[in-house]
Every structure is written in structure tokens, then in C-alpha cells.
Amino acid sequence: MSPSRPLLEGRDLRRVYRLGRVEVPAVDGVTLAVEAGDFLVLEGPSGSGKTTLLNLLGLLDRPDGGTLLWEGRAVGDLDEDALSELRRDRLGFVFQTFNLVPVLSAAENVELPMALAGVAARARRERSLELLAAVGLADRAAVRPDLLSGGQRQRVAIARALANDARLLLADEPTGNLDSHSAEEVLDLLERLHEERGMGCVIATHDPRVRARASRVLHLIDGRLEAAA
């Protein structure tokens, strides 16, 4: 990859939801670039389009207009299998509600993306334990999510997001369900992993503590990019 080429680039992205005969533009002509070293925050009030934009950037949804490029290649040219492979191998996702499988242990949850990628059982177990140690949960590997605190569950979710060496981490309100102490711990962890691994991070949030750590801030209002800092 050329050093001057963004990791991810969106040009005039649009996403419209239809409620009966009414069209609601959730993302309305957004252009942005995410560099490999970015710790980028998307902020704005509820309904501003943050989650929709994050879903477009994470290839979880397709835009109704505009162009999305990954390392210079138009994502719209990819079929569903290629999109799934790109999501699996290059992107990591962290959600406000954790999205852990309740009947699986912490280690088994971290192993899931690797199992989907066809990694052998022994290798993925070793990798999951390594990642749980990296997020400070080496002693909780065998514990199910319902026996973990909110902060611990979010750490497991972050470890899972890193399972396949993601180049870009996307997080939707990662501190939204956490108390202040747990939120600071998760932010410290995200910042450290970002610096150590050199991966890009895009975080949609209302939390001013996240904004304070950002390398760049993009502000959305009614689906439009209003300002950058």
C-alpha cells in the first residue's frame, strides 16, 4: 500500500431509509478518509447518522450512492463473498451491547472469528489466550459473559475484534453501557492497542472523554459532515 493512500475512503456517501413514501437521508453526501494511524471520533446527537455511517464504513451496509474504497479499491466492485472476507480479515467491530455469545466462555467468544476463518483449534485457542492477556483478562478466559462485569465484557469484545489482526477497528458507543471507571479503562486499552498495533480506529460516540483522546473529530448533523477538528 502506498504511504499516501488512505486505509479507507468514502466519497459522497449516501444512505436513505424509506418510511412508507417518505425518504429519510441518514447519511447525506459524506466524504472522509481514514488513515492507518487515525484515532478518529464521529460525534453528533442521536439520529445524526453516526451508526449508519459506521455501518457503511464497516461494510455492514451498502450505500445508496457514492463510493467507498478500501486501500484504493472500490468496495462496490466486490461480491458478497469478497466483502465477507474483507470484513473478517481486515475489520474489527466493537458494539455498545458487547454482542458476546452468552453460552460461550470469554476465550471461546474470542475464537469465533478465527473459527470462521478456518484457523485450526489449537492455534485459535493460543491466539485467544494471548489476546485476553493483552486486554488484562488472562485469568478470566474460562468465564462466561454473564459472570463478567460490563468493563470486562467490553474487553472481551475488543479482544475478539482483534482476533484476525484487524487493520481498522470500528466501535459504536464502546463506553455507552459502562460506569466511569470502566469507561476510562476501556479507553486506555483502545488507545494503547491503537498505538502498539498501528491500526486505525473509528469510534462513534456521545462521550466527551472519547473526544478528548481523538486525533481527529468529525461532527455529524442530519447525516451531513458539519465540521472537523
Side-chain angles (χ1 to χ4, degrees), residues 38 42 57 59 65 69 107-108 125 128 176 179 194 213 216:
D38 270 342
L42 299 174
L57 297 179
L59 315 183
L69 300 101
E108 289 166 338
R125 175 49 59 106
S128 70
D179 59 53
H194 161 71
R213 297 174 185 241
R216 287 196 295 143

Side-chain angles (χ1 to χ4, degrees), residues 60 92 113 123 146 161 173 190-191 195-196 202 207 225-226 229:
L60 297 173
D146 60 317
E173 298 285 1
L190 286 173
E191 196 168 41
E195 292 172 355
E196 290 178 353
V202 180
D207 192 337
L225 195 61
E226 293 292 320

Side-chain angles (χ1 to χ4, degrees), residues 78-89:
L78 303 179
D79 61 23
E80 287 301 325
D81 287 343
L83 281 174
S84 295
E85 185 176 330
L86 180 55
R87 282 193 299 266
R88 184 193 70 201
D89 296 341

Side-chain angles (χ1 to χ4, degrees), residues 45-120:
S46 296
S48 62
K50 300 188 304 298
T51 295
T52 300
L53 179 56
L54 205 68
N55 287 341
L56 294 178
L57 297 179
L59 315 183
L60 297 173
D61 193 11
R62 288 185 180 266
D64 294 309
T67 303
L68 187 65
L69 300 101
W70 176 266
E71 297 182 339
R73 182 181 181 185
V75 171
D77 296 338
L78 303 179
D79 61 23
E80 287 301 325
D81 287 343
L83 281 174
S84 295
E85 185 176 330
L86 180 55
R87 282 193 299 266
R88 184 193 70 201
D89 296 341
R90 300 296 191 185
L91 301 170
F93 301 91
V94 179
F95 303 95
Q96 180 178 357
T97 52
F98 317 128
N99 285 7
L100 300 176
V101 180
V103 297
L104 300 181
S105 69
E108 289 166 338
N109 269 281
V110 176
E111 286 183 48
L112 277 178
M114 294 180 280
L116 293 173
V119 177

